[in-house]
Amino acid sequence: MQRLYDFLRRHPTWVDTFWALVLLGLSSLWIAADARHAHTRVAALPLALALSAVIALRRRMPEKMLLLAVLVGALQLVLDVQVNPGDFAMLVIIYTVAANGARWASRLALVGGLCASTISTLRWPNESEGHWADAVATVFLAVPFLLAWVIGDSLRTRRAYYAELEERAARLQREREAQSKAAVAAERARIARELHDVVAHNVSVMVVQADGAAYVLDASPEQAKQALETISTTGRQALTEMRRLLGVLRAGDDGGGEYVPQPGVDQLTDLIEQVRGAGLPVAFELEGESRPLASGVELTAYRIVQEALTNTRKHGGPEARATVRLTFGDSDLSLLIEDDGRGAQQELYEGGGEDGQGQGLIGMRERVGMVSGTLDAGPRPGGGFRINAVLPVKASR
């Protein structure tokens, strides 16, 4: 039965043709049995054929079949062919154009259906029952035409509603895909900034240590050995972080990668000790009650301090000193990083450094903006540079 049902759905014209033949057979029986109107049999047969064609082709050409049905109705009036089983085709075509046809055809079908009963009653009145019987018959004959149009128009409205829902669902799906792509692009940009921070900090430490080792290699082999150990440790740390970040970038291809915790405020002590070991004196001050913060805030604070100290080493000069102050407030975390170097120009922080590749303040502002914080950076009075960031925080992770 399912195969038969699928076949019939794929070939609707065949189904309509079958019912057209059934209707033609009923019309032929009526014509042959109606002895009272024998004079109209010659005209009734071609009209019955035309109405059967309306049924057979109603889905392929609904508007044209409606006009054909209107023409047949007019010929019935002129040729005195009374209402017969073939006129059922008019109900079917009214339903069809209301459901699938053009708007003008739907309106014409409604008007024609409502007028058909009145015209039929006037053309063939019931002389034996009187005018009241004709009026009641007119109303009752109009009801099937009206119902056929209402059902068809309701189907059209429901189909349009479902189409709108499908279009809306498809649009929402496209928007979700676009948002996902934007999120992936933003995440990759964030990872690129992470790579910059890792490389800029660790490589600068390695360069400073290598220069120091070369300087004291002959005079103090022990200091040179310590510098080489620092270079080795720093290089391993840089490789570990780069593997993690590149693993995230390749996660979509490889489906795996080793992940390590993101650095945060607790790791600032190690960072500052590492910077001190590289030759930059740094004073570290902590105010307020230290507490766990959101991971994004902790990572932002760590990277700001890391970037600021890296730029101080690169541009502050050989005698530069730095101060890092963290202040835990009730609703924010304040960062103040200052140096008394030779007054690095702001463009060095904003991407105009010696290597021409720096992110500097641009990256800091992006990071601070991601956590809805504020950043104030510029030269200090009397020389040096100052970076002041305020990051909103919550009570706990």
Side-chain angles (χ1 to χ4, degrees):
M1 291 299 297
Q2 185 62 36
R3 291 183 179 179
L4 177 61
Y5 180 70
D6 293 338
F7 175 81
L8 295 178
R9 289 190 62 183
R10 291 194 302 268
H11 303 86
T13 303
W14 290 19
V15 177
D16 292 338
T17 302
F18 169 78
W19 290 114
L21 293 175
V22 171
L23 185 63
L24 179 61
L26 294 175
S27 300
S28 300
L29 292 176
W30 178 85
I31 293 172
D34 188 11
R36 294 178 303 169
H37 304 90
H39 62 284
T40 62
R41 290 178 181 177
V42 177
L45 184 59
L47 294 181
L49 287 172
L51 291 174
S52 299
V54 168
I55 296 292
L57 301 176
R58 67 185 183 91
R59 302 196 208 201
R60 288 193 175 187
M61 300 177 290
E63 293 85 2
K64 293 181 179 179
M65 292 301 101
L66 174 65
L67 295 178
L68 177 59
V70 171
L71 177 61
V72 171
L75 291 176
Q76 282 187 251
L77 296 174
V78 173
L79 300 176
D80 194 24
V81 177
Q82 291 194 3
V83 178
N84 60 80
D87 292 325
F88 182 77
M90 296 184 179
L91 288 174
V92 176
I93 194 60
I94 288 175
Y95 162 81
T96 301
V97 294
N100 303 312
R103 279 298 180 183
W104 66 265
S106 177
R107 297 188 186 97
L108 176 61
L110 176 61
V111 174
L114 294 177
C115 294
S117 59
T118 302
I119 296 174
S120 175
T121 303
L122 294 176
R123 180 67 175 85
W124 299 289
N126 190 341
E127 298 178 355
S128 61
E129 298 293 338
H131 297 297
W132 283 106
D134 290 338
V136 173
T138 300
V139 173
F140 275 96
L141 288 175
V143 170
F145 291 100
L146 180 61
L147 286 179
W149 185 89
V150 169
I151 294 173
D153 191 70
S154 299
L155 181 62
R156 176 201 294 269
T157 302
R158 186 173 60 178
R159 189 184 298 117
Y161 174 71
Y162 288 154
E164 182 180 357
L165 290 181
E166 292 177 357
E167 193 277 333
R168 184 182 302 175
R171 184 174 66 253
L172 291 176
Q173 180 65 25
R174 291 193 298 268
E175 291 177 356
R176 283 194 295 267
E177 292 176 355
Q179 291 173 356
S180 298
K181 291 180 181 179
V184 170
E187 180 66 13
R188 289 179 177 268
R190 184 191 66 80
I191 293 172
R193 291 194 297 270
E194 293 289 313
L195 282 173
H196 160 262
D197 293 336
V198 170
V199 173
H201 171 71
N202 291 289
V203 171
S204 63
V205 171
M206 294 167 66
V207 170
V208 171
Q209 292 290 340
D211 290 342
Y215 182 75
V216 300
L217 181 61
D218 296 329
S220 181
E222 189 63 27
Q223 292 185 12
K225 180 180 178 181
Q226 291 180 349
L228 292 175
E229 290 177 352
T230 301
I231 292 173
S232 176
T233 302
T234 304
R236 288 190 179 94
Q237 292 176 352
L239 286 175
T240 299
E241 288 203 47
M242 290 179 67
R243 286 194 190 100
R244 176 181 62 81
L245 295 172
L246 292 175
V248 174
L249 286 175
R250 297 175 59 188
D253 299 328
D254 299 338
E258 183 179 357
Y259 297 91
V260 298
Q262 294 278 20
V265 174
D266 293 339
Q267 285 73 44
L268 283 178
T269 302
D270 297 335
L271 172 66
I272 291 173
E273 288 298 329
Q274 189 180 50
V275 174
R276 288 170 180 167
L280 175 65
V282 181
F284 181 47
E285 302 175 8
L286 181 62
E287 299 179 0
E289 182 180 354
S290 178
R291 62 183 184 275
L293 305 175
S295 58
V297 174
E298 294 222 12
L299 177 61
T300 299
Y302 182 91
R303 294 308 186 193
I304 289 175
V305 174
Q306 184 183 51
E307 179 69 26
L309 296 179
T310 298
N311 281 289
T312 298
R313 285 200 316 271
K314 291 170 63 176
H315 310 301
E319 304 298 328
R321 303 173 65 88
T323 300
V324 177
R325 180 181 298 122
L326 265 69
T327 303
F328 284 87
D330 294 336
S331 60
D332 56 44
L333 173 67
S334 298
L335 302 172
L336 179 63
I337 305 101
E338 297 180 302
D339 67 66
D340 58 358
R342 60 190 178 189
Q345 299 299 318
Q346 185 171 340
E347 55 266 21
L348 293 176
Y349 286 85
E350 295 193 356
E354 295 172 1
D355 58 1
Q357 303 297 324
Q359 298 288 333
L361 289 179
I362 296 177
M364 290 186 192
R365 289 194 177 98
E366 290 180 356
R367 288 184 179 278
V368 171
M370 289 172 63
V371 296
S372 303
T374 60
L375 178 70
D376 182 22
R380 288 178 62 217
F385 206 82
R386 170 187 294 162
I387 295 175
N388 186 17
V390 179
L391 309 178
V393 299
K394 296 181 179 180
S396 61
R397 293 181 187 275

